[in-house]
């Protein structure tokens, strides 16, 4: 899967786990896109054919970001004070979900 990790979720450990799982991964940080406006970022994801993975709940607004217009938007919900284990669990879940058929869940 082609994925772009938003700056708010794109730690080196998360990126490494996704790459080891075989995903084509780009990060906002690596591409110098930190603080890019949401509309511009999602347009970049669309042009790169990448699914955005973020904790920015604004991307969950289906009226503003209609899922049918993008390769994918995954909004992660973490505890208010996440620890590494929270990130690892979410990343492993994401790897399991993206590695399966869309119809297996």
């Amino acid at each position: 899967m082609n994925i772009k990790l938003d700056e708010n979720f794109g730690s080196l450990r998360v990126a490494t786990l996704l790459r080891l799982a075989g995903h084509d991964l780009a990060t906002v940080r690596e591409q110098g896109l930190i603080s890019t406006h949401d509309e511009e970022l999602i347009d970049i994801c669309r042009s790169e054919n990448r699914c955005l993975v973020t904790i920015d709940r604004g991307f969950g607004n289906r009226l503003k970001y209609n899922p049918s217009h993008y390769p994918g938007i995954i909004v992660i919900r973490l505890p208010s004070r996440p620890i590494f284990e929270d990130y690892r669990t979410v990343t492993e879940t994401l790897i399991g979900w993206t590695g399966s058929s869309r119809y297996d869940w």
Side-chain angles (χ1 to χ4, degrees):
M1 176 178 231
N2 297 332
I3 297 172
K4 182 178 302 293
L5 292 182
D6 200 353
E7 64 192 82
N8 56 26
F9 189 69
S11 76
L12 181 58
R13 288 180 179 174
V14 171
T16 299
L17 289 171
L18 289 168
R19 285 185 173 123
L20 288 172
H23 295 288
D24 181 335
L25 185 79
T27 72
V28 166
R29 189 172 314 280
E30 291 170 349
Q31 292 182 311
L33 298 171
I34 293 174
S35 298
T36 300
H37 288 78
D38 290 352
E39 293 81 11
E40 184 180 351
L41 179 59
I42 199 67
D43 285 341
I44 291 169
C45 290
R46 181 175 29 219
S47 70
E48 294 177 351
N49 196 35
R50 292 188 183 278
C51 175
L52 177 65
V53 178
T54 183
I55 60 173
D56 183 341
R57 290 184 182 179
F59 284 107
N61 181 341
R62 296 174 58 97
L63 296 175
K64 188 170 185 178
Y65 302 104
N66 185 327
S68 66
H69 297 164
Y70 306 100
I73 301 172
I74 298 174
V75 179
I76 304 293
R77 296 184 104 181
L78 293 168
S80 58
R81 293 187 179 164
I83 59 174
F84 174 71
E85 186 65 26
D86 298 322
Y87 285 96
R88 188 173 67 84
T89 299
V90 166
T91 303
E92 288 174 353
T93 301
L94 180 62
I95 289 168
W97 181 77
T98 57
S100 66
S101 164
R102 292 183 81 154
Y103 304 103
D104 288 345
W105 48 275

